[in-house]
Amino acid sequence: CAGGLTHGQWAALRFFARANRFSRTVSAFADYHATTRAAASQKISTLVEQGYLSRRRSQRDGRSTRFDLTRPSRELLQDDPFKSVVAAAHQLAPSVRNKTAQCLQQMLGELSALRGRGLFGICDLCQHLQIIKAHSAESYACGLLRVPLEREETHQICARFMPKAS
């Protein structure tokens, strides 16, 4: 596969590039890709050994480990072979693209429920997102974890996602 990585390693790098700081764990990656913790751990360990991910103990509880992209992995992701699929999707009319995304999200939700796993999504679409307006500025927080969020984090994947009520 491109860049000397396997398809699974590319999938892991894409996940860690898009996941928020609370979801960059072995467990979240395993759930997201419907694999075992052991298989996920092996894949992540290989990426750490290759210098594509760094390991960091959680500041919140000291027990869990968070994984972050390194400079080499960010550079490698610039040439992600999946970008051609994304570019093709952007050629679709916005209404078709939005409907396709909604259908895929619904299918993933049903599959997650069948497997007894949680649903993943982005903070912007989550009921836990709190938008705090003060004067002319906005700040953001996760109501579930009770922590502030940076604006860019509201566009990232979260393992504790709960869709907003329609």
Side-chain angles (χ1 to χ4, degrees):
C1 196
L5 299 181
T6 66
H7 294 291
Q9 290 169 331
W10 272 110
L13 285 184
R14 288 182 198 114
F15 173 80
F16 287 102
R18 300 238 17 248
N20 68 20
R21 61 189 145 127
F22 312 108
S23 302
R24 291 194 300 259
T25 65
V26 170
S27 295
F29 173 70
D31 286 347
Y32 190 79
H33 283 282
T35 190
T36 65
R37 304 280 188 278
S41 182
Q42 176 64 39
K43 196 166 290 167
I44 291 167
S45 291
T46 300
L47 290 170
V48 169
E49 290 168 13
Q50 293 174 332
Y52 291 123
L53 292 176
S54 65
R55 186 182 317 239
R56 169 191 271 179
R57 283 267 175 228
S58 170
Q59 294 174 343
R60 290 176 57 103
D61 66 17
R63 293 174 293 147
S64 61
T65 302
R66 181 178 99 187
F67 297 90
D68 296 311
L69 295 178
T70 61
R71 184 186 325 224
S73 62
R74 287 191 296 276
E75 290 171 2
L76 189 62
L77 282 164
Q78 296 300 313
D79 297 321
D80 184 348
F82 197 71
K83 281 186 172 183
S84 60
V85 174
V86 174
H90 281 289
Q91 296 302 312
L92 298 172
S95 61
V96 173
R97 192 169 55 237
N98 292 339
K99 185 64 175 171
T100 301
Q102 289 172 349
C103 290
L104 288 171
Q105 185 69 38
Q106 182 179 350
M107 289 169 49
L108 290 173
E110 290 175 19
L111 289 171
S112 292
L114 285 172
R115 292 191 323 253
R117 306 232 175 161
L119 186 62
F120 285 78
I122 60 170
C123 292
D124 271 345
L125 304 174
C126 182
Q127 71 179 6
H128 300 304
L129 177 64
Q130 297 175 339
I131 301 173
I132 302 120
K133 297 184 183 207
H135 307 291
S136 62
E138 287 184 343
S139 61
Y140 308 90
C142 174
L144 177 68
L145 298 176
R146 298 186 176 146
V147 295
L149 299 171
E150 298 295 326
R151 175 66 185 143
E152 49 279 354
E153 289 181 295
T154 66
H155 301 297
Q156 294 177 323
I157 297 170
C158 184
R160 295 176 179 94
F161 177 77
M162 182 65 65
K164 290 181 182 176
S166 306

